[in-house]
Amino acid sequence: MSLIVMKFGGSSVGDAERMKRVAKRIVDRKREGHRCVVVVSAMGDTTDDLIDLSKQLYDGAPPAREMDMLLTTGEQVSVALLSMAIQNMGEPAVSYTGWQSGMITEDLHGKARITDIQPHRIHTALEKDNVVIVAGFQGMTEDGEITTLGRGGSDTTAVALAAAIHADLCEIYTDVDGIYTTDPRVVKNARKLKEISYDEMLELANLGAAVLHPRAVEYAKNYNVALVVRSSFTQNEGTYVKEEAEMEQGIVVRGIAYDKNIARISILGVPDKPGQLAKVFTSLAAEQIDVDIIVQSGVLNGLADFSFSVSLSDRDKALQTIEGIRGEVGFREVTSEGDLVKISIVGAGMVSTPGVAAKMFDELSKIGVSINMVSTSEIKISCVIDGKQLAEAVQALHTAYGLDAQEQVFVGGPQDRR
Amino acid sequence: MSLIVMKFGGSSVGDAERMKRVAKRIVDRKREGHRCVVVVSAMGDTTDDLIDLSKQLYDGAPPAREMDMLLTTGEQVSVALLSMAIQNMGEPAVSYTGWQSGMITEDLHGKARITDIQPHRIHTALEKDNVVIVAGFQGMTEDGEITTLGRGGSDTTAVALAAAIHADLCEIYTDVDGIYTTDPRVVKNARKLKEISYDEMLELANLGAAVLHPRAVEYAKNYNVALVVRSSFTQNEGTYVKEEAEMEQGIVVRGIAYDKNIARISILGVPDKPGQLAKVFTSLAAEQIDVDIIVQSGVLNGLADFSFSVSLSDRDKALQTIEGIRGEVGFREVTSEGDLVKISIVGAGMVSTPGVAAKMFDELSKIGVSINMVSTSEIKISCVIDGKQLAEAVQALHTAYGLDAQEQVFVGGPQDRR
């Protein structure tokens, strides 16, 4: 008998019918002999509806404390209803809010971090054979204030809870059936991964594969929580997220991610004096603008050019900010481009495999894609390219690195597909 | 500067516009110099919508614990939104759930009684100049389980809180502008009362004037909380509910209430042996059937007839129950009538005024109304009559006891109407 945490997102419990399906799924798991702790998000559009209401009553951004009071009702509704649905199928169940389940957070509304978990109620309820249902995304400060964990919070609740109660497995149920080598909407041959390391998953999560929240993956890595991402609508096996050391070896590139929301900003003719770049990036940081890749070209006649990438949505604010320090920095010209994407190959095996980057540049050049910017980490290489060439580039790299579904069959033989 | 508790029901905060009007009302009160604690119910149809959802997920009556988890979200949404609306008008405000505001209840889901109030958070927040907004209808057990107070619960929250924090006044805002001498839909000359005693209000509340919940009135009486019932939509002065001793004297009948939901059941030919009646009423009580008026006629040939009144909705269940003990009790026949109403005159002055009942019977007989059953208490006389004669009877008694608006003017002169 194992102890598992099952997490269901808002779309999995979007209406009464889906809620029943989720309940059935949980009841089946319990009847297989598992003890189940379930984390659930607010139903479908509930959160958006509550936000709409708040906008009618407060001009601008509503006070964060009251938003937490408001939004946490969404998960409370879900847990109560799911508990009823499970009890209706004949299994005992009990629901808890974040504070009832002992989720203690720092005193920061809207995006608090979990500081402690006191799961005594959960243990007691499990001993009485209950399915325990916990409201995701929410907690309580030491002073009894209700807080939320911010975006992706229910994933974090599930993983943190799994760590605290020493669960054998944390199952993240979602509307896709696992992590894919790349976006199946772009590459028809995209293949579901059997497993992926925490670090690889973190790179993919950060790069726009929005299945699992990066914070939850970090938490899982830190506490070594065994994770699986699987579909709430099918019985397909999902993708296991685990320690690299436990994984099958020899795979160089695990997956390909992309981010369409990229703009490049170039500042030309900057006097080559110490501290000029620092002025630019300090002022951008002060405006909460995240800068991703930075490239500086050579110096000519004491003047340097450099460029950097930001989110497309931050482009205008970034340009304004830079104009605002023109006098201070003294550059000649600032330009920007918007129709760009960042394409990234991710794989823990890269570290020990020379020539991975060269292969990427070569493959892209073969299909006539020029590379605007490059950035690398130990397990990832990212290139910023023209947005119109995205699909073609992803497809080419997917094939080149042996990720296509058919290729896998040819290389490893049928028995490897199990 | 006084400390007041203001209670707003669900229809007063039914949508964003009404919520804003309520916020304005509170802000005005605060700017008059009062410290304000506000108790609010769930918005309009929220509770019904949540109940509908629960019915889709559970066959039969859902588990009461989970219903409490579910329904308490309704008030939590209200308090958060109301706090935002008040802050939007420039006044500091803070919202609390039942458990946060220290409402401790017994461990009984769906209709818990308050056992203790620990309002330290409220006091602290008031000291910081906040409007404090508390979710009505809900509390927490000593073990941290979420409970609800049952029907009319928000009135009780308001009154109990007013007692606990020693408020100077508890204002119940509702969709009528006070307590009337009788139902204005039946008697055009019904007059709003300036004041009424707790006991009179209790009789009226129990008799179907659904403005204020009886439990809240009892609580107010026990803790001597000064109450006023007033409209959330107008600035009209409401009706004060207070100790009899503090009231103007000389009024015999304060108001006239009626209850349309009455059935009479008659059991004929019951052997006149000790314990026969007890058997009947014990079996009715076991079925949760409330019996109101009981009348026994004389004994003839060792056989007695008696009849009693129950809620119309309990009639069939009562008849079945009695049939079920036919063998045990040995009566000849059981009959019932449904088209009846109970009309009641209420007034603390009756105790010291002889002839009030005689006058009632006389007035009713003058207009051809026959009386089926009678019951009296120190401050009330009730008659069960034919439902078709209700309007005529209420009107006649209203005039006879000097309750009509015009009559009041003639008797007391214009200055008395202020």
Side-chain angles (χ1 to χ4, degrees), chain B residues 99 192 270 304 351:
Chain B
W99 64 267
K192 192 177 69 188
V270 182
V351 191

Side-chain angles (χ1 to χ4, degrees), chain A residues 47-68:
Chain A
T47 303
D48 290 337
D49 292 347
L50 291 171
I51 290 174
D52 283 350
L53 263 175
S54 74
K55 284 182 180 160
Q56 292 176 51
L57 291 163
Y58 198 90
D59 304 318
R65 180 195 181 277
E66 302 301 339
M67 277 309 275
D68 281 355

Side-chain angles (χ1 to χ4, degrees), chain A residues 157-171:
Chain A
T157 302
V159 174
L161 210 52
I165 64 176
H166 307 291
D168 299 289
L169 182 62
C170 179
E171 300 183 324

Side-chain angles (χ1 to χ4, degrees), chain A residues 39-169:
Chain A
V39 173
V40 65
S41 305
M43 291 171 77
D45 303 325
T46 312
T47 303
D48 290 337
D49 292 347
L50 291 171
I51 290 174
D52 283 350
L53 263 175
S54 74
K55 284 182 180 160
Q56 292 176 51
L57 291 163
Y58 198 90
D59 304 318
R65 180 195 181 277
E66 302 301 339
M67 277 309 275
D68 281 355
M69 286 289 281
L70 181 66
L71 296 184
T72 49
T73 61
E75 289 82 29
Q76 191 171 328
V77 167
S78 290
V79 294
L81 291 173
L82 188 54
S83 174
M84 290 178 193
I86 291 171
Q87 292 184 54
N88 199 45
M89 295 174 185
E91 292 293 335
V94 62
S95 70
Y96 294 124
T97 62
W99 65 267
Q100 287 179 320
S101 51
M103 283 282 169
I104 309 297
T105 74
E106 58 182 345
D107 190 1
L108 183 66
H109 289 287
K111 49 181 178 181
R113 277 168 186 275
I114 297 168
T115 53
D116 190 18
I117 301 182
Q118 296 163 356
H120 53 270
R121 272 204 191 84
I122 294 176
H123 286 304
T124 309
L126 284 172
E127 276 158 28
K128 294 182 180 158
D129 197 38
N130 285 294
V131 172
V132 177
I133 304 159
V134 174
F137 172 71
Q138 56 184 250
M140 178 179 79
T141 69
E142 295 281 359
D143 290 338
E145 291 280 282
I146 293 174
T147 50
T148 60
L149 309 182
R151 287 223 159 253
S154 288
D155 286 349
T156 308
T157 302
V159 174
L161 210 52
I165 64 176
H166 307 291
D168 299 289
L169 182 62

Side-chain angles (χ1 to χ4, degrees), chain B residues 121-199:
Chain B
R121 271 204 192 84
I122 294 175
H123 286 304
T124 309
L126 283 172
E127 275 159 29
K128 294 181 181 158
D129 196 39
N130 284 294
V131 173
V132 177
I133 305 160
V134 174
F137 172 70
Q138 57 185 249
M140 178 178 77
T141 69
E142 295 280 358
D143 289 338
E145 290 281 281
I146 293 174
T147 51
T148 60
L149 309 181
R151 289 221 160 255
S154 289
D155 286 349
T156 308
T157 301
V159 174
L161 210 51
I165 63 175
H166 308 292
D168 299 289
L169 181 61
C170 179
E171 300 182 325
I172 307 285
Y173 288 85
T174 175
D175 48 5
V176 297
D177 64 353
I179 310 293
Y180 276 74
T181 49
T182 193
D183 186 343
R185 288 167 304 182
V186 172
V187 175
K188 242 188 11 198
N189 283 330
R191 188 169 44 83
K192 192 177 69 188
L193 294 165
K194 269 200 289 195
E195 52 184 21
I196 187 170
S197 73
Y198 296 123
D199 286 334

Side-chain angles (χ1 to χ4, degrees), chain B residues 187-400:
Chain B
V187 175
K188 242 188 11 198
N189 283 330
R191 188 169 44 83
K192 192 177 69 188
L193 294 165
K194 269 200 289 195
E195 52 184 21
I196 187 170
S197 73
Y198 296 123
D199 286 334
E200 289 169 336
M201 188 66 231
L202 262 180
E203 290 289 358
L204 287 175
N206 279 323
L207 292 170
V211 178
L212 200 54
H213 198 268
R215 250 166 92 179
V217 181
E218 258 186 69
Y219 216 107
K221 177 178 155 76
N222 291 342
Y223 292 89
N224 203 14
V225 175
L227 269 183
V228 61
V229 176
R230 57 189 304 188
S231 165
S232 45
F233 306 113
T234 73
Q235 293 291 337
N236 295 349
E237 262 199 46
T239 301
Y240 282 81
V241 189
K242 52 166 101 162
E243 270 300 341
E244 210 178 304
E246 303 163 359
M247 294 175 56
E248 53 172 324
Q249 298 299 312
I251 289 171
V252 176
V253 173
R254 186 79 58 184
I256 301 174
Y258 61 82
D259 184 352
K260 287 180 172 177
N261 180 29
I262 299 284
R264 179 167 67 160
I265 293 180
S266 300
I267 308 184
L268 309 174
V270 182
D272 182 35
K273 291 185 297 190
Q276 297 303 85
L277 254 69
K279 278 179 197 158
V280 171
F281 294 110
T282 305
S283 59
L284 290 170
E287 296 294 321
Q288 313 286 335
I289 297 166
D290 272 337
V291 171
D292 184 19
I293 307 177
I294 303 172
V295 177
Q296 178 167 11
S297 64
V299 181
L300 191 66
N301 301 329
L303 294 177
D305 298 341
F306 62 97
S307 54
F308 56 87
S309 66
V310 295
S311 284
L312 192 54
S313 51
D314 281 340
R315 172 158 76 160
D316 292 345
K317 200 159 74 167
L319 289 172
Q320 276 171 29
T321 306
I322 292 162
E323 282 299 343
I325 53 168
R326 181 186 274 272
E328 210 179 325
V329 179
F331 50 84
R332 189 183 74 234
E333 190 186 355
V334 56
T335 64
S336 75
E337 291 154 278
D339 190 22
L340 299 172
V341 293
K342 183 170 72 171
I343 181 169
S344 306
I345 59 174
V346 174
M350 285 182 189
V351 191
S352 51
T353 313
V356 180
K359 184 179 173 72
M360 183 177 190
F361 304 152
D362 186 41
E363 292 296 333
L364 290 176
S365 102
K366 273 200 266 180
I367 57 168
V369 171
S370 46
I371 297 165
N372 289 289
M373 305 172 92
V374 173
S375 117
T376 62
S377 79
E378 288 210 323
I379 65 165
K380 157 197 101 171
I381 304 165
S382 301
C383 296
V384 173
I385 64 170
D386 185 339
K388 287 188 289 294
Q389 296 177 302
L390 173 66
E392 202 187 352
V394 176
Q395 179 64 71
L397 294 176
H398 200 264
T399 305

Side-chain angles (χ1 to χ4, degrees), chain A residues 319-339:
Chain A
L319 289 173
Q320 277 171 27
T321 306
I322 291 163
E323 282 299 343
I325 53 169
R326 181 186 274 271
E328 210 177 324
V329 178
F331 50 84
R332 191 183 74 233
E333 189 185 353
V334 56
T335 64
S336 74
E337 290 155 280
D339 190 20

